[in-house]
Amino acid sequence: ISICRDLPNIEVITFSVNGISDLEPLNQCQNLSELYLRKNNIMSLNELFYLKNLPRLRVLWLSENPCCGSDPHRYRMTVLRNLPSLQKLDNQAVTEEELTQALVDGEDITAPPARRNVESGCSEELLNFSLEETNKIREELGMKPVPRDKFSSFSPRETDCNRKKRNNVLNAILLLTKELDAEALEVLQQTVGRRLQACRKKELQEE
C-alpha cells in the first residue's frame, strides 16, 4: 500500500483481502473518491485519521476488519462522524439522518493510531509476509505461486529496504492487472516482454 504515496492523483483503490493494517500512505491521495478495504487487518478506527483530509472520498468499504468491532451502530456512527462526505459506506447509502445521529453517537478521531516501535530494516518476517501476500494475489489472477528461492531476490537481509519497495510495486501491479480488459492486457504483455528482453540482454553483457 506504500505505493500509494507515489500516486497522488489516483481516484479508485481496491485493496480488499490484502492483510493491510496501516492507512497512512493514503493521506496524500487527494483525488481519491472510492476506497475498498474489505477483509483486511485494520485494527483501529483511528486509522480513519488518515482519510479525514481526503476531500473527494465518497465511497468506503471497510467491513470485515477487526476495527469494526462487535457494535455495528457505534462503528458506522464513528466512521460517518469522521467522514461526513461519504455517500456510501460498506455498500449501504448514507442518509442525512445518519449523519446527524453520528454527531451524537460517533466517536471523534483526532489523532492517528499508536504504532509499535518497529526496526526500519527488512526482516525475515517481512519476507514471509510479502511472499504469502504476493502468492495470494497471483492465485487470484490464475498464476503459479513464486517459489521461495526465487522470491529471495526481493528481500533481504541487507538493510537496503528499496527491495521492500520493489516488492510493494510488484504487488500493486498484480492487483491493478485485475482491472484491465483483454486489449490492455495485451499491451501490458508486450511491454513486459520488451522490458524482460532488455533486462536479459543487460545481464548477458554484465557476464
Side-chain angles (χ1 to χ4, degrees), residues 154-184:
F154 285 105
S155 122
R157 303 187 183 160
E158 310 115 44
T159 56
D160 181 10
C161 275
N162 284 334
R163 300 185 187 280
K164 176 186 173 185
K165 180 179 179 181
R166 181 167 61 177
N167 186 53
N168 288 336
V169 172
L170 172 64
N171 286 340
I173 292 170
L174 290 173
L175 282 167
L176 291 171
T177 57
K178 292 191 286 187
E179 307 296 324
L180 301 179
D181 58 17
E183 182 180 356

Side-chain angles (χ1 to χ4, degrees), residues 123-137:
S123 66
E124 189 69 18
E125 180 182 358
L126 172 65
L127 169 60
N128 290 338
F129 173 76
S130 299
L131 175 61
E132 180 183 351
E133 182 180 14
T134 298
N135 281 338
K136 182 168 62 178
I137 296 168

Side-chain angles (χ1 to χ4, degrees), residues 20-42:
I20 290 167
S21 59
D22 176 10
L23 301 186
E24 185 273 334
L26 301 176
N27 68 357
Q28 300 298 319
C29 300
Q30 292 294 299
N31 288 331
L32 188 63
S33 61
E34 298 180 26
L35 178 59
Y36 301 92
L37 293 167
R38 186 177 62 90
K39 284 190 177 180
N40 278 286
N41 194 35
I42 299 166

Side-chain angles (χ1 to χ4, degrees), residues 59-107:
V59 176
L60 175 65
W61 200 328
L62 193 61
S63 64
E64 299 175 84
N65 275 279
C67 66
C68 299
S70 57
D71 186 343
H73 177 75
R74 177 186 171 279
Y75 152 71
R76 190 171 176 88
M77 292 295 99
T78 296
V79 174
L80 295 181
R81 175 165 182 172
N82 290 278
L83 303 174
S85 295
L86 287 181
Q87 296 174 354
K88 187 177 285 189
L89 172 61
D90 297 337
N91 207 31
Q92 182 179 340
V94 176
T95 66
E96 289 294 331
E97 291 78 9
E98 283 184 308
L99 292 174
T100 300
Q101 191 65 38
L103 295 174
V104 178
D105 295 348
E107 179 183 340

